[in-house]
Amino acid sequence: MANQRPYEDLREFLAVLEDAGKLIRIKREVNKDTELQPLVRLQFRGLRDEDRKAFLFENVTDSKGRHYDGSVLVGGLSGSTDIYCLGLQCSADEVPDRWVEAMENPIPPELVSHGPVMEVIHKGDELAASNGFARFPIPISTPGFDNGPYITAGHWITKDPETGARNVGNYRGLVKSPLRCGANSGTPQDLSRHWERCRERGIPLEVAIAVGTVPAASYTATQKVPPDMDELALAGGLARTPVQLVKCQTVDLEVPATAEVVFEGIIPTNYLEEEGPFAESMGYVDPRTIGPVMELTCVMHRKDPIWVSIISQVTPSESSKIKAMGMSTLVHRYLNRKGFASVKEVYMMEELVNLRPYVAVRMKKENDEEPRRVMDAVLQYGDRVGKLIVAVDEDINVNDPVAVTWAITHRCQPHRDVTIVPDRPFGATPIGMVVSHPSSRYDSTDSALLIDATRKADLPPLSLPKKPYMERAIELWKELGLPELQLKEPWHGYLMGLWPDELDEEARLAAEGDYEKVGEKLKGTRVNVGEGQTLKSMRLEWGKTHSGRSV
């Protein structure tokens, strides 16, 4: 595969998936609000990695009975190891080397005058009439818990107003109306930093969201890379050819020329608005938060566009797979560049990789002090990396948690060899979500390595679609004659004590196609950003006064 011509667009990649028997076309009518994602979710609970497929839904409707042009792709970027490797045009064994090669030899994108994404353009007076975000069959990812359709495979492109440096990140976006969408980036994240710097200047942040790019661009947008690295140049390195870009129509940004859909707009810096809940890959529904909002100014798309949706929620998922395939290699490269040539391999468990808490390092140590220095370096890679880090000798298979556990029990004296590192930030865990809630007995700091993982608070729901939707998905699965399922528990979402009636009602409205009613309601939650306030400080202030209601 390594010598094949690079993909020009997503459609060429889908043809390869179909030839390889990795694409299922669903021609029957499927409801994007209640049926679509639950159907695909079943394979992550009931099939082996090698048996999973990409799903292309060609007859999409919603709870209001509306039919959509185009199609919806789920699992098509990284539904399995095989799908990811076809996207990267290499074998599984070659993936780490391809990432290292791309990091060492990025290929800058090239600007062209025109591209397929410009086949249809809606802006100015035509924008509202085109129906904006609502023109596209954006699925509800976790019916029963999510409060609207979310953009999940949108690659958000912004530029630093100080340096002009570009960033491409994959963030979730709650569609609140045809012309409004949430912009949920964490702190720290590059989009949030760009927003803060624009706010200091009293200007909005220009943004473009690209959906349905060549696979390499999606693989870099979803990965945590060094801050000085242009994700589109890294994508060029992965694809071994420049990513072609075209200029946006209404903002000073460039976007992939062969993308299926591009949204252009601004993110105002003078107000924030409530957003969420959304079922995240840490295994819980992320409840309400507060964040910026994108206001749409233009839509460009191909004819009969393919909408791409990444399936997240409880791991394993497409979200965990797309990060797992590159994350371990990036941390390994980081450690080697920090001077630890003794590190031979890094393993980050896919079932946990979205949180990055479990890191196993295989090394040929030079002395007894080096493992501790290596583990300290892992903690420096990023705020969310390393809640449990294990260093093992080179004879231990770090890809086998049983082997690592064996090394811990037979090669470790806890009173000498275990260290708890205090004052660590919370990662994307339910503890951080509920620490300020009255039900919580957690304190307000986190630590690394040894953590009591028993439940100590009422928690949000398990982030899978509610049982009725999954039961309906099972019926659809059988009707379609798909492979026999061996479902693993849990295979549906359920309550764990922390789910207000307000959020239950919003999820019901969303599943019935009335997400705009939720969006209209959330307009009433806007708060003005005061002088000297930051996105982080606003969220902290909001959390103190809304914690009981928000979660």
Side-chain angles (χ1 to χ4, degrees):
M1 283 191 291
N3 295 322
Q4 291 182 352
R5 178 177 61 83
Y7 300 118
E8 290 187 3
D9 59 15
L10 179 68
R11 301 181 185 201
E12 281 194 352
F13 174 48
L14 294 188
V16 170
L17 287 182
E18 190 160 32
D19 289 344
K22 296 295 181 181
L23 179 70
I24 296 175
R25 292 181 180 268
I26 306 296
K27 298 183 180 297
R28 65 161 290 168
E29 183 178 294
V30 176
N31 187 329
K32 75 174 186 67
D33 294 330
T34 61
E35 299 176 330
L36 191 151
Q37 281 245 8
L39 181 70
V40 183
R41 165 48 65 181
L42 285 172
Q43 72 174 341
F44 290 95
R45 307 313 298 169
L47 293 180
R48 300 175 302 170
D49 179 280
E50 56 266 34
D51 296 327
R52 296 176 198 152
K53 311 285 186 179
F55 283 66
L56 187 65
F57 296 89
E58 299 180 326
N59 186 3
V60 182
T61 186
D62 65 13
S63 291
K64 296 290 190 182
R66 175 183 174 182
H67 288 263
Y68 291 82
D69 296 331
S71 54
V72 177
L73 178 70
V74 186
L77 297 175
S78 194
S80 70
T81 300
D82 290 342
I83 292 171
Y84 184 95
C85 291
L86 286 169
L88 208 52
Q89 298 180 294
C90 68
S91 68
D93 291 341
E94 295 171 324
V95 169
D97 291 338
R98 287 294 294 274
W99 271 96
V100 171
E101 174 192 330
M103 294 290 287
E104 300 295 339
N105 301 282
I107 299 176
E110 62 180 24
L111 189 65
V112 297
S113 61
H114 199 273
V117 73
M118 303 169 71
E119 288 176 346
V120 181
I121 299 174
H122 302 286
K123 61 181 178 179
D125 295 338
E126 298 179 6
L127 182 60
S130 74
N131 224 12
F133 293 113
R135 184 181 187 87
F136 303 93
I138 306 174
I140 293 179
S141 295
T142 318
F145 294 117
D146 290 355
N147 64 338
Y150 277 83
I151 299 171
T152 57
H155 310 328
W156 297 63
I157 301 170
T158 59
K159 288 184 179 179
D160 188 319
E162 291 181 2
T163 66
R166 174 173 47 226
N167 176 257
V168 185
N170 201 85
Y171 310 112
R172 78 188 201 205
L174 170 62
V175 177
K176 300 180 176 184
S177 77
L179 301 180
R180 288 170 49 247
C181 172
N184 190 280
S185 66
T187 50
Q189 290 282 7
D190 287 314
L191 186 146
S192 295
R193 282 191 285 265
H194 294 174
W195 184 91
E196 297 280 10
R197 289 171 181 169
C198 285
R199 188 186 63 80
E200 292 169 358
R201 289 163 172 74
I203 59 174
L205 174 64
E206 293 187 329
V207 64
I209 308 173
V211 178
T213 64
V214 290
S218 294
Y219 297 159
T220 59
T222 53
Q223 202 59 265
K224 185 177 179 63
V225 303
D228 59 345
M229 176 71 68
D230 180 355
E231 285 84 359
L232 292 177
L234 181 57
L238 279 178
R240 294 173 171 165
T241 190
V243 176
Q244 292 191 336
L245 305 179
V246 294
K247 292 286 291 184
C248 287
Q249 302 290 308
T250 59
V251 293
D252 186 21
L253 295 168
E254 301 79 37
V255 293
T258 62
E260 293 291 323
V261 181
V262 166
F263 300 114
E264 303 175 19
I266 61 169
I267 302 178
T269 55
N270 62 336
Y271 73 87
L272 302 175
E273 190 174 285
E274 290 186 10
E275 190 251 30
F278 179 71
E280 292 279 13
S281 56
M282 83 286 287
Y284 296 87
V285 176
D286 185 0
R288 191 77 99 216
T289 188
I290 191 168
V293 175
M294 176 188 179
E295 298 179 355
L296 194 64
T297 59
C298 178
V299 179
M300 299 191 293
H301 66 85
R302 300 185 66 162
K303 296 177 181 177
D304 296 319
I306 300 171
W307 183 265
V308 182
S309 179
I310 290 178
I311 192 163
S312 188
Q313 311 154 359
V314 167
T315 53
S317 68
E318 186 176 16
S319 177
S320 66
K321 175 64 69 177
I322 203 169
K323 294 178 181 177
M325 296 301 289
M327 187 68 183
S328 295
T329 299
L330 294 176
V331 175
H332 185 190
R333 176 181 179 271
Y334 167 81
L335 292 172
N336 285 165
R337 290 171 72 89
K338 293 283 284 187
F340 297 111
S342 58
V343 174
K344 305 302 179 185
E345 188 176 3
V346 172
Y347 173 68
M348 302 174 74
M349 196 182 300
E350 183 191 340
E351 284 76 6
L352 300 173
V353 77
N354 276 14
L355 324 186
R356 309 170 183 92
Y358 175 89
V359 184
V361 180
R362 184 172 67 90
M363 58 185 301
K364 185 177 181 179
K365 65 179 184 180
E366 296 180 356
N367 52 60
D368 289 340
E369 290 73 37
E370 190 177 31
R372 172 60 193 275
R373 296 201 303 271
V374 167
M375 291 188 285
D376 284 342
V378 171
L379 291 176
Q380 297 168 19
Y381 184 83
D383 286 345
R384 296 182 177 182
V385 175
K387 188 154 190 174
L388 171 61
I389 307 172
V390 184
V392 298
D393 297 305
E394 60 181 336
D395 63 312
I396 299 296
N397 178 10
V398 290
N399 297 280
D400 181 359
V402 174
V404 174
T405 302
W406 181 89
I408 293 171
T409 57
H410 290 277
R411 297 185 181 182
C412 167
Q413 289 182 295
H415 66 284
R416 296 182 56 189
D417 301 330
V418 171
T419 302
I420 296 176
V421 179
D423 299 323
R424 294 286 295 165
F426 283 112
T429 68
I431 298 174
M433 297 174 189
V434 304
V435 67
S436 62
H437 191 269
S439 72
S440 176
R441 275 90 68 198
Y442 294 105
D443 61 36
S444 59
T445 61
D446 207 0
S447 53
L449 294 186
L450 290 183
I451 303 293
D452 181 356
T454 59
R455 179 176 173 180
K456 303 176 186 66
D458 290 338
L459 297 177
L462 190 79
S463 62
L464 291 172
K466 272 186 176 178
K467 189 175 181 179
Y469 303 103
M470 292 302 286
E471 288 175 334
R472 171 57 181 156
I474 292 172
E475 295 174 3
L476 281 175
W477 186 277
K478 292 176 180 177
E479 291 173 15
L480 292 165
L482 298 173
E484 183 178 353
L485 293 165
Q486 299 293 327
L487 289 175
K488 300 176 183 177
E489 294 289 343
W491 55 270
H492 63 81
Y494 52 86
L495 302 177
M496 285 182 280
L498 198 57
W499 190 245
D501 292 341
E502 175 188 9
L503 300 187
D504 206 47
E505 174 64 10
E506 289 182 10
R508 183 190 66 79
L509 288 171
E512 293 176 357
D514 286 328
Y515 71 89
E516 287 189 42
K517 292 182 179 178
V518 178
E520 188 64 25
K521 168 191 167 185
L522 296 182
K523 284 175 66 176
T525 69
R526 291 181 180 179
V527 293
N528 293 324
V529 180
E531 184 68 25
Q533 292 182 303
T534 66
L535 178 59
K536 184 175 182 180
S537 68
M538 288 286 288
R539 283 176 169 166
L540 287 172
E541 180 181 343
W542 179 90
K544 292 176 181 178
T545 57
H546 291 74
S547 60
R549 181 175 67 85
S550 65
V551 297

